[in-house]
């Protein structure tokens, strides 16, 4: 009998103990909810799979999409959903179209998402696989010839991309590959307002960190050239080549003026890495340091390879790019094919030693705006013999418009000038100005079709007779949009072989490229974003 | 003996049903969180020792506007709130099914003297895994884990005051 009251007490104590140690609430990280007050940022960072999405209107209504997509003009969200009033009663259920001007906040809930910095970047890349891009007939025919570019810059209003004066950070295809890029604008101007137009003409998201004008004061009869190591050189004496031989053919007529009349060869049908040589000869009038000037751009070979690589990634492209972001080794592997193809190797002939001296290898990504670049080298001839320079490059990979010889008298330090004003749709955009006026964590997001007018205040030159020779300095990266047609070619094994420089795979690529090569330029230019509208 | 068992059963049931204070019936299930369009539930402690709770309608620089369970709107100054809990959702999609599980430990009284061992074990398993989850919530605590800026994301109107809105329109109760 004595045990019964004790039993009750024990049970009570145990019950109370377990009752209290049981937690009523599970505390979680509140960052599972993400909100975007800026439509562009949402478009850039939106989730891979269009699923639930909540859009708060400025007037207090809210729509919950259970499926959605961006309109072709990127200016509205369209999908199936329910629209609720202020009291959260359903107003409509079905097709909903929401214009950007109605949106106050866009909200996503990712309960399982990790929210460290790396994952935020990965989320930023997820748009790669998510958007059902509107592709024109040309792209469907030959998907890998679709127009792609980084931001294009123009001095004048034109819709002809052939007249682009610069294309910025072409090789920065992921956040971790963000890097600055300097391009010659090939223009001389006086002080005052200088306008530059920045466009997104491709199916890409451009993420621009900073844009500057590099202004070098120069005399009327002199020239400032951008060269190796992002140095700037002053010259007053530039001469054309007297001969330019490749395979026994003199191509000098192609290389004696920056006129768009370019020399280019076709790729080898079995070996994309096959090289060619161009032997340049110049009269020797050099008094200071000689420098070989080249005006060049890439053919569409690298574009073809990049698009091929992305199509092999298929619907796993987000995962691959996440690996690119987080692994140095993967980034290095990605560069393998481009290392194999290489840049333009420059050699100068040492007449005393009777041998070619390797000077440097130059590489600039991009098939749109040509690069104007100088490579200084040491003059070893003292007997007045012609100066001989050899270029070695991959067949079918480069288009040369000009080759000249500069007499460099000094290196100079130009001024770097941020924009004073940015206009979008003819209206000042102070937020955009802040975003691109500093190398920091704030980025300007530019979507297909976007056009920005950048104004720069150029100061009075020290000598009133001088002018400014201008260059563009830009930093950022861009994200290619995946075309639906590419997803059908998913082939991870082939991607691996491509990155490991497997000979058989590269031979097949060479054959495939050959079938497109002759028509690729025309298809590429005809498929820019504007032409797909 | 029989009277003792009845007493123990009642005590156990009371404990099971009182281990967690019943949270707002307005909370969504986790599976419905994506489509839930109202604000999250906030329960706050105020400097004078009182408490306030309700759906977060809007948070501005100085105040929190709540819609109470009686359908009334209540404004609380942020600077008098010492502590708060914001409930996001229930922790289960099936609270009704779990209700019956509350009675499982009661069956332990049929174990006779072995109840000394089996009842605590039953409680140990059932309370945290069933009873708590049936009435528990996914939540976050202010100010330990969240700031006012972040809490505003969980308001019915995270964008702030919609222009021309009279909050009395949002009341649902009798007043």
């Amino acid at each position: 009998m004595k045990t019964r009251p004790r039993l009750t007490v024990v049970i009570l104590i145990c019950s109370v103990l377990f009752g209290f140690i049981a937690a009523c609430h599970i505390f979680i990280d509140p960052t599972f909810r993400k909100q975007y007050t800026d439509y562009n940022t949402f478009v850039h960072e939106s989730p891979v799979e269009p699923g639930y999405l909540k859009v708060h209107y400025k007037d207090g209504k809210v729509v919950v999409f259970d499926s959605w997509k961006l309109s072709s003009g990127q200016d509205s969200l369209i999908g199936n959903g329910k629209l609720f009033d202020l009291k959260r009663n359903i107003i409509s259920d079905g097709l909903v179209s929401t214009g950007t001007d109605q949106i106050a906040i866009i909200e996503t809930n990712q309960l399982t998402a990790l929210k460290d910095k790396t994952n935020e970047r990965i989320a930023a890349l997820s748009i790669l696989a998510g958007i059902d891009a509107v592709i024109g007939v040309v792209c469907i025919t030959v998907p890998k010839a679709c127009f792609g570019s980084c931001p294009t810059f123009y001095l004048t209003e034109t819709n002809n991309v052939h007249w682009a004066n610069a294309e910025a950070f072409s090789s920065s295809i992921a956040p971790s590959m963000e890097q600055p890029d300097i391009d010659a604008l090939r223009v001389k101007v006086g002080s005052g307002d200088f306008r530059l137009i920045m466009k997104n003409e491709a199916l890409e998201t451009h993420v621009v960190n900073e844009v500057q004008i590099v202004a070098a004061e120069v005399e009327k009869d002199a020239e400032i050239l951008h060269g190796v190591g992002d140095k700037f050189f002053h010259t007053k004496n530039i001469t054309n080549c007297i001969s330019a031989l490749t395979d026994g053919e003199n191509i000098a007529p192609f290389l004696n003026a920056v006129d768009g009349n370019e020399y280019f060869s076709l790729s080898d049908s079995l070996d994309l890495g096959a090289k060619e040589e161009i032997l340049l000869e110049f009269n020797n009038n050099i008094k200071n340091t000689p420098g070989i000037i080249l005006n060049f751009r890439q053919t569409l070979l690298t574009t073809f390879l990049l698009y091929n690589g992305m199509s092999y990634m298929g619907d796993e492209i987000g995962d691959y790019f996440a690996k690119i972001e987080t692994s140095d080794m993967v980034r290095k592997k990605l560069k393998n094919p481009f290392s194999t193809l290489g840049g333009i190797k420059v050699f100068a002939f040492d007449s005393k030693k009777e041998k070619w001296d390797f000077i440097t290898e130059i590489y600039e990504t991009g098939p749109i705006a040509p690069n104007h670049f100088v490579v200084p080298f040491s003059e070893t001839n003292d007997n007045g013999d012609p100066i001989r320079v050899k270029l070695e490059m991959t067949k079918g990979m480069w288009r040369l418009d000009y080759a000249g010889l500069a007499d460099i008298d000094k290196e100079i330090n130009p001024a770097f000038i941020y924009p004073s004003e940015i206009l979008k749709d003819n209206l000042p955009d102070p937020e955009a100005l802040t975003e691109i006026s500093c190398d920091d964590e704030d980025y300007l997001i530019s979507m297909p079709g976007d056009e920005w007018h950048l104004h720069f205040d150029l100061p009075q030159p020290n000598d009133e007779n001088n002018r400014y020779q201008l260059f563009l300095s830009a930093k950022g990266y861009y994200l290619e949009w995946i075309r639906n047609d590419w997803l059908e070619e998913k082939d991870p094994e082939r991607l691996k072989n491509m990155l490991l420089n497997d000979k058989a795979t590269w031979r097949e690529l060479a054959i495939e490229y050959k079938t497109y090569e002759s028509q690729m330029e025309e298809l590429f230019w005809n498929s820019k974003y504007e032409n797909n509208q | 003996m029989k009277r003792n068992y009845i007493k123990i059963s009642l005590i156990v049931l009371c404990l099971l049903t009182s281990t967690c204070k019943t949270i707002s019936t307005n909370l969504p299930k986790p599976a419905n969180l994506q489509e839930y369009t109202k604000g999250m539930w906030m329960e706050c402690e105020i400097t004078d020792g009182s408490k306030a709770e309700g759906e977060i309608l809007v948070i501005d620089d100085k105040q929190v506007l709540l819609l109470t369970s009686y359908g009334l709107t209540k404004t609380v100054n942020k600077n008098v709130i010492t502590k708060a809990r914001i409930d996001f959702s229930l922790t289960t999609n099936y609270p009704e099914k779990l209700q019956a599980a509350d009675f499982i430990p009661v069956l332990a009284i049929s174990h006779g003297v072995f109840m000394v061992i089996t009842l605590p074990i039953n409680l140990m398993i059932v309370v945290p895994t069933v009873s708590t989850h049936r009435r528990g919530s996914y939540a976050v605590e202010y100010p330990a884990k969240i700031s006012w800026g972040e809490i505003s994301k969980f308001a019915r109107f995270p964008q702030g005051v919609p222009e021309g809105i009279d909050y009395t329109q949002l009341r649902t109760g009798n007043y």
Side-chain angles (χ1 to χ4, degrees):
Chain A
M1 283 297 286
K2 281 185 179 174
T3 58
R4 279 174 194 157
R6 276 190 213 152
L7 182 67
T8 311
V9 170
V10 170
I11 291 168
L12 267 174
I13 291 169
C14 291
S15 303
V16 169
L17 185 66
F18 288 121
F20 276 104
I21 61 170
C24 297
H25 306 286
I26 297 174
F27 293 104
I28 59 170
D29 184 349
T31 56
F32 68 85
R33 175 162 292 184
K34 208 163 168 58
Q35 289 184 337
Y36 306 87
T37 51
D38 175 62
Y39 178 72
N40 277 338
T41 309
F42 162 72
V43 170
H44 173 56
E45 295 185 3
S46 61
V48 180
E49 298 297 337
Y52 275 106
L53 185 75
K54 203 181 294 173
V55 178
H56 294 268
Y57 288 4
K58 288 174 184 165
D59 64 4
K61 294 193 192 83
V62 66
V63 61
V64 179
F65 286 107
D66 53 31
S67 66
W68 58 273
K69 65 177 184 177
L70 296 164
S71 67
S72 57
Q74 305 294 310
D75 57 356
S76 59
L77 293 166
I78 303 165
N80 272 314
K82 293 187 180 85
L83 181 64
F84 297 83
D85 66 10
L86 296 173
K87 288 189 174 182
R88 299 309 183 234
N89 300 313
I90 295 179
I91 301 172
S92 67
D93 185 356
L95 189 66
V96 182
S97 176
T98 305
T100 51
D101 54 339
Q102 293 174 279
I103 297 172
I105 283 177
I106 301 173
E107 176 186 311
T108 59
N109 291 296
Q110 293 174 310
L111 292 168
T112 54
L114 295 172
K115 289 294 171 190
D116 65 13
K117 276 278 178 195
T118 309
N119 281 291
E120 278 179 12
R121 282 191 145 185
I122 291 166
L125 287 161
S126 63
I127 199 169
L128 286 163
I131 294 190
D132 182 14
V134 181
I135 305 295
V137 175
V138 174
C139 288
I140 292 165
T141 315
V142 189
K144 285 159 200 166
C146 288
F147 185 85
S149 77
C150 14
T152 39
F153 288 83
Y154 297 83
L155 299 176
T156 55
E157 306 254 11
T158 175
N159 288 323
N160 189 341
V161 74
H162 285 287
W163 293 99
N165 296 86
E167 55 178 321
F169 47 81
S170 316
S171 57
S172 305
I173 58 168
S176 59
M177 294 180 174
E178 178 182 333
Q179 59 182 14
D181 184 26
I182 295 178
D183 289 308
L185 291 172
R186 305 206 66 248
V187 64
K188 288 180 184 175
V189 297
S191 61
D193 180 51
F194 173 73
R195 187 188 65 167
L196 199 57
I197 302 166
M198 178 174 80
K199 292 185 182 183
N200 182 343
E201 301 178 272
L203 287 164
E204 299 165 351
T205 301
H206 296 162
V207 188
V208 189
N209 190 341
E210 68 169 353
V211 176
Q212 291 172 284
I213 282 293
V214 184
E217 192 174 327
V218 64
E219 308 87 351
K220 279 184 180 168
D221 58 345
E223 206 56 51
I224 304 294
L225 299 164
H226 172 225
V228 179
D230 279 340
K231 291 177 179 172
F232 294 86
F233 300 98
H234 182 273
T235 178
K236 278 191 173 176
N237 184 12
I238 293 174
T239 51
N240 293 341
C241 60
I242 49 178
S243 75
L245 298 175
T246 180
D247 258 350
E249 183 189 353
N250 187 5
I251 57 168
F254 290 103
L255 306 184
N256 280 338
V258 182
D259 56 4
N261 186 22
E262 298 164 320
Y263 162 78
F264 62 95
S265 60
L266 295 177
S267 66
D268 188 281
S269 54
L270 294 175
D271 178 9
L272 284 179
K275 307 293 182 201
E276 65 177 330
E277 287 183 354
I278 298 173
L279 300 175
L280 302 168
E281 199 167 286
F282 300 90
N283 286 327
N284 190 350
N285 301 317
I286 299 297
K287 292 173 185 161
N288 303 292
T289 303
I292 175 82
I293 307 169
L294 296 176
N295 192 286
F296 63 99
R297 63 185 173 109
Q298 286 186 322
T299 64
L300 292 167
L301 176 57
T302 47
T303 304
F304 168 82
L305 292 172
L306 178 67
Y307 288 179
N308 254 304
M310 287 178 152
S311 68
Y312 295 157
M313 294 175 191
D315 56 2
E316 288 179 43
I317 191 162
D319 298 332
Y320 280 104
F321 268 75
K323 286 178 191 166
I324 291 168
E325 281 304 289
T326 52
S327 166
D328 286 339
M329 196 179 72
V330 174
R331 269 201 298 280
K332 200 175 168 189
K333 275 186 185 169
L334 189 74
K335 287 177 183 170
N336 264 352
F338 301 102
S339 307
T340 306
L341 296 174
I344 301 175
K345 285 183 180 169
V346 181
F347 300 82
F349 191 72
D350 184 334
S351 56
K352 288 177 187 164
K353 295 178 185 169
E354 293 281 309
K355 71 175 188 69
W356 290 103
D357 287 335
F358 172 70
I359 308 299
T360 192
E361 181 171 3
I362 54 176
Y363 191 97
E364 278 282 333
T365 311
I368 299 173
N371 305 284
H372 201 75
F373 204 75
V374 68
V375 178
F377 58 96
S378 304
E379 169 58 278
T380 54
N381 296 338
D382 51 9
N383 54 8
D385 282 352
I387 290 177
R388 295 166 68 194
V389 172
K390 180 172 77 174
L391 306 178
E392 184 188 294
M393 55 197 192
T394 297
K395 287 180 77 174
M397 186 166 162
W398 301 98
R399 299 174 80 99
L400 287 181
D401 192 18
Y402 179 75
L405 187 71
D407 188 357
I408 297 168
D409 53 18
K410 61 183 174 184
E411 185 184 331
I412 58 116
N413 293 311
F416 285 71
I417 301 167
Y418 283 113
S420 55
E421 187 179 39
I422 297 180
L423 303 177
K424 185 161 191 275
D425 300 328
N426 291 321
L427 294 171
D429 190 336
E431 195 180 338
L433 182 65
T434 308
E435 285 164 343
I436 66 166
S437 293
C438 186
D439 179 4
D440 58 11
E441 294 294 314
D442 288 334
Y443 292 84
L444 171 67
I445 309 296
S446 176
M447 303 301 286
D450 280 355
E451 185 174 317
W452 311 82
H453 288 217
L454 283 61
H455 289 262
F456 300 84
D457 275 338
L458 299 179
Q460 282 291 336
N462 293 324
D463 183 329
E464 62 179 18
N465 295 317
N466 289 350
R467 293 172 69 78
Y468 286 109
Q469 188 151 356
L470 300 183
F471 302 81
L472 171 75
S473 172
K475 189 177 179 189
Y477 62 92
Y478 66 101
L479 302 170
E480 281 285 352
W481 289 13
I482 301 307
R483 283 66 159 172
N484 282 340
D485 313 77
W486 295 359
L487 299 178
E488 293 163 13
E489 294 191 31
K490 182 180 174 181
D491 193 340
E493 189 61 29
R494 203 166 157 81
L495 174 68
K496 185 180 157 194
N497 290 338
M498 182 181 168
L499 296 181
L500 293 175
N501 291 335
D502 173 68
K503 280 185 181 174
T505 304
W506 276 86
R507 182 174 292 204
E508 286 165 13
L509 283 168
I511 294 166
E512 189 185 354
Y513 181 64
K514 208 66 191 167
T515 61
Y516 296 141
E517 189 175 20
S518 60
Q519 51 177 332
M520 206 152 167
E521 279 274 328
E522 187 186 347
L523 293 175
F524 180 81
W525 297 112
N526 285 337
S527 67
K528 73 171 183 146
Y529 178 75
E530 185 186 72
N531 296 331
N532 286 320
Q533 297 309 292
Chain B
M1 179 74 178
K2 196 176 177 183
R3 217 169 52 192
N4 272 345
Y5 281 165
I6 292 168
K7 203 173 10 174
I8 290 168
S9 303
L10 287 172
I11 291 166
V12 168
L13 269 175
C14 285
L15 279 168
L16 284 165
T17 52
S18 65
T19 46
C20 287
K21 176 181 174 291
T22 303
I23 53 166
S24 167
T25 51
N26 293 325
L27 280 191
K29 296 169 187 173
N32 298 335
L33 186 61
Q34 295 278 28
E35 51 197 288
Y36 190 67
T37 54
K38 293 182 177 174
M40 295 308 177
W41 195 262
M42 174 185 264
E43 188 179 309
C44 42
E45 293 174 17
I46 297 171
T47 44
D48 63 5
S50 63
K51 287 189 174 182
E53 62 178 319
E55 178 200 338
I56 310 168
L57 289 178
V58 74
I59 297 177
D60 64 20
D61 291 344
K62 294 177 180 171
Q63 296 175 322
V64 181
L65 183 69
L66 300 173
L67 184 66
T68 69
S69 52
Y70 301 106
L72 303 174
T73 48
K74 182 178 176 68
T75 305
V76 185
N77 283 333
K78 280 158 59 172
N79 59 9
V80 299
I81 297 174
T82 54
K83 199 175 171 188
R85 192 189 72 242
I86 296 97
D87 293 324
F88 301 126
S89 76
L90 297 173
T91 54
T92 174
N93 289 323
Y94 309 101
E96 345 35 67
K97 287 182 182 176
L98 293 177
Q99 198 157 14
D102 276 349
F103 292 91
I104 294 172
V106 179
L107 298 176
I109 61 171
S110 64
H111 301 165
V113 72
F114 298 107
M115 184 170 50
V116 177
I117 298 167
T118 58
L119 182 59
I121 290 171
N122 264 273
L123 287 168
M124 203 176 352
I125 295 166
V126 171
V127 170
T129 57
V130 179
S131 301
T132 303
H133 280 257
R134 183 166 63 78
R135 285 179 297 276
S137 66
Y138 283 116
V140 69
E141 278 187 318
Y142 166 84
K145 296 289 181 187
I146 194 166
S147 65
W148 282 115
E150 287 174 300
I151 295 173
S152 65
K153 286 197 298 190
F154 299 101
R156 186 188 290 194
F157 304 110
Q159 68 271 46
V161 184
E163 223 170 280
I165 296 300
D166 175 4
Y167 287 118
T168 56
Q169 294 171 16
L170 301 170
R171 293 176 178 173
T172 54
N174 297 320
Y175 48 92

